[in-house]
Amino acid sequence: GRRVAQWGYRYDYASHTVDPTPVEPIPYILTQLLNAEPEPERFTQCIINEYGADDGENARHRHLR
């Protein structure tokens, strides 16, 4: 019930592991957000999850199980 955008590497929600096969490159704007980090070159993956209004509480419970 959520929308997911992934860059760098794909996270497999079924197995709870990172798939090392590269997906879309991380957009420049996202890498710029981490310029303040001590080691920005370590930024290799980005995942954005968007939950709908109906997913909120139910999604948190599913994730915690």
Side-chain angles (χ1 to χ4, degrees):
R2 66 178 164 244
R3 290 185 343 163
V4 178
Q6 300 186 40
W7 298 276
Y9 299 101
R10 186 179 74 83
Y11 182 77
D12 185 337
Y13 287 90
S15 66
H16 302 284
T17 60
V18 173
D19 179 343
T21 306
V23 292
E24 291 292 319
I26 300 168
Y28 179 75
I29 188 68
L30 293 177
T31 60
Q32 292 304 297
L33 292 173
L34 294 178
N35 273 343
E37 292 291 321
E39 299 180 69
E41 68 276 0
R42 295 183 64 186
F43 180 60
T44 60
Q45 179 184 28
C46 180
I47 300 173
I48 298 174
N49 292 289
E50 178 185 52
Y51 296 92
D54 295 337
D55 294 332
E57 193 62 31
N58 291 333
R60 281 189 286 277
H61 289 298
R62 284 194 305 269
H63 184 68
L64 295 174
R65 288 184 192 165

